């Protein structure tokens, strides 16, 4: 009896081992289930729109579903912490904005570390801009300065301590202006707040308002104009200068995500952005495309971290 019991246990152990081996993910079998891409902001934000535009091509290449989720809140921290704490198996990714994630990590008590994330793709380079309502009497930075001297002004940002907040505070100190900060869940709600007249202005990525005739761009926070919006003057042209952030939107994965998953994801995104539909989308929406992959993208985020550390006092 004892011998039979021992044989039975060996058989059970062997079967369990075989089953486990069959369940183990490999480079050839990955992906074997849906991939979830989690956004830091509400639907309609920059990273969210990129993913939804590429969703069909990614699904065709990878042979699985791409599920887009949105977890806005706390300046991007909710989504970042969620992805950071997910299993590092390549099935949970973060659609993020480089300055937003970096600033949030520096300004708040966060679980995640941007430098430890696995970087997959960054899509663009978008300078910030100052937007006001289309019928606003404010038509320049000088107008904004004068307006704040005689009126109560407010700025829509994507969260206190976030990237939009940081850029606006750097600008405010340089210009010597005062206004109330009003937080929203993402850049699109901020633009909507300006459109509705709920806030005086917003400092956000320039392409948030391309083709939007309900707001006007009074200044590009950059040293040079963009060919995409050649009629919008830079703030330097208007006689002012201060440290400028650049919005870069991309996709990253938790630390220790297997190399084979990261490589396959990079290949999938490379294939997707090479399709004519992506070029048509970026052209129609005035997007300043600047594609980087893997380690090249990671270096950009590391540089961002080091740069923003210089402005911790603003946070």
């Amino acid at each position: 009896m004892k011998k039979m019991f021992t044989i039975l246990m060996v058989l059970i152990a062997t079967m369990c081992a075989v089953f486990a081996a069959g369940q183990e993910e490999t480079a050839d079998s990955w992906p074997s289930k849906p991939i979830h891409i989690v956004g830091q902001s509400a639907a309609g934000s920059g990273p969210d729109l990129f993913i939804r535009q590429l969703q069909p091509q990614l699904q065709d290449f990878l042979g699985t579903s791409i599920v887009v989720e949105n977890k806005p809140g706390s300046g991007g921290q909710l989504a970042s912490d969620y992805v950071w704490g997910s299993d590092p198996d390549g099935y949970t990714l973060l659609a993020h904005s480089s300055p937003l994630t970096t600033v949030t990590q520096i300004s708040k008590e966060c679980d995640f570390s941007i430098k430890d994330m696995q970087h997959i793709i960054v899509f663009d380079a978008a300078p910030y801009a100052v937007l006001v309502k289309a019928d606003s009497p404010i038509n320049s930075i000088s107008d904004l300065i004068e307006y704040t001297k005689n009126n109560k002004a407010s700025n829509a940002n994507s969260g206190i301590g976030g990237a939009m907040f940081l850029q606006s505070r750097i600008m405010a100190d340089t210009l010597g202006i005062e206004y109330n900060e009003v937080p929203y869940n993402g850049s699109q709600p901020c633009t909507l707040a300006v459109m509705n007249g709920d806030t005086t202005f917003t400092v956000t990525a320039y392409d948030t308002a391309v083709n939007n005739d309900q707001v006007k761009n009074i200044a590009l926070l950059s040293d040079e104009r963009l060919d995409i919006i050649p009629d919008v003057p830079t703030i330097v042209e208007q006689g002012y200068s201060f440290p400028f952030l650049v919005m870069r939107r991309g996709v990253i994965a938790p630390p220790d995500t297997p190399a084979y998953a990261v490589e396959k994801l990079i290949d999938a995104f490379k294939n997707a952005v090479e399709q004519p539909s992506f070029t048509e989308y970026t052209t129609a929406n005035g997007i300043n495309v600047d594609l980087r992959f893997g380690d090249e993208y990671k270096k950009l985020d590391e540089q961002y971290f080091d740069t923003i550390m210089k402005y911790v006092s603003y946070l």
Side-chain angles (χ1 to χ4, degrees):
M1 180 66 71
K2 184 176 181 180
K3 184 176 181 180
M4 290 182 61
F5 177 78
T6 301
I7 294 173
L8 180 61
M9 292 301 293
V10 170
L11 287 173
I12 292 174
T14 302
M15 291 175 64
C16 289
V18 170
F19 178 78
Q23 296 298 303
E24 186 177 349
E25 201 82 71
T26 66
D28 292 332
S29 64
W30 193 94
S32 60
K33 60 183 181 180
I35 295 171
H36 292 249
I37 303 182
V38 183
Q40 296 172 314
S41 302
S45 64
D48 178 79
L49 292 175
F50 273 119
I51 301 304
R52 294 183 189 276
Q53 172 65 29
L54 299 174
Q55 196 172 13
Q57 292 81 8
L58 294 172
Q59 291 179 153
D60 288 344
F61 187 93
L62 294 168
T64 191
S65 298
I66 301 294
V67 181
V68 183
E69 301 178 19
N70 299 94
K71 293 184 179 295
S74 194
Q77 182 179 356
L78 291 182
S80 300
D81 279 341
Y82 175 81
V83 173
W84 175 269
S86 300
D87 290 337
D89 51 15
Y91 290 108
T92 306
L93 311 175
L94 180 68
H96 87 128
S97 301
S98 292
L100 173 60
T101 309
T102 306
V103 170
T104 303
Q105 180 192 339
I106 293 171
S107 64
K108 301 178 180 179
E109 293 184 3
C110 299
D111 293 331
F112 68 86
S113 167
I114 186 66
K115 289 187 175 183
D116 292 335
M117 290 283 199
Q118 294 280 353
H119 288 63
I120 297 169
I121 180 174
V122 63
F123 300 106
D124 65 340
Y128 282 80
V130 182
L131 307 181
V132 298
K133 193 175 181 181
D135 60 1
S136 168
I138 302 170
N139 295 298
S140 66
I141 293 300
S142 294
D143 287 349
L144 177 62
I145 294 172
E146 288 303 311
Y147 183 90
T148 59
K149 289 179 180 178
N150 304 300
N151 302 273
K152 289 184 177 180
S154 57
N155 168 54
N157 65 65
S158 60
I160 303 300
M164 291 171 63
F165 171 82
L166 174 61
Q167 182 67 92
S168 68
R169 295 320 305 168
I170 293 174
M171 182 183 79
D173 279 3
T174 301
L175 302 182
I177 59 178
E178 294 184 2
Y179 50 80
N180 293 325
E181 293 283 3
V182 184
Y184 291 86
N185 282 331
S187 58
Q188 287 296 334
C190 289
T191 303
L192 184 61
V194 173
M195 291 165 51
N196 292 338
D198 297 328
T199 64
T200 310
F201 67 98
T202 185
V203 178
T204 186
Y206 80 89
D207 53 9
T208 302
V210 170
N211 301 326
N212 184 343
D213 59 6
Q214 296 186 62
V215 295
K216 58 185 173 184
N217 188 337
I218 64 169
L220 186 69
L221 304 189
S222 174
D223 294 317
E224 299 179 352
R225 293 195 186 197
L226 286 179
D227 293 339
I228 296 168
I229 47 173
D231 296 332
V232 177
T234 69
I235 198 166
V236 174
E237 292 176 66
Q238 298 182 53
Y240 307 95
S241 184
F242 45 81
F244 305 133
L245 302 182
V246 177
M247 179 75 73
R248 292 183 183 274
R249 289 160 283 208
V251 179
I252 55 181
D256 301 321
T257 298
Y260 61 75
V262 173
E263 290 170 4
K264 193 169 289 188
L265 285 165
I266 289 175
D267 289 343
F269 275 102
K270 283 183 176 179
N271 174 75
V273 298
E274 288 173 356
Q275 304 306 314
S277 57
F278 181 73
T279 302
E280 293 168 3
Y281 168 74
T282 55
T283 301
N285 290 278
I287 294 169
N288 186 37
V289 178
D290 185 20
L291 299 170
R292 312 289 182 95
F293 301 91
D295 289 341
E296 187 179 7
Y297 176 22
K298 186 180 181 68
K299 288 179 182 178
L300 286 176
D301 264 353
E302 290 175 342
Q303 291 170 2
Y304 239 125
F305 187 95
D306 295 339
T307 298
I308 292 176
M309 281 298 294
K310 300 176 183 178
Y311 307 106
V312 173
S313 60
Y314 287 96
L315 300 173

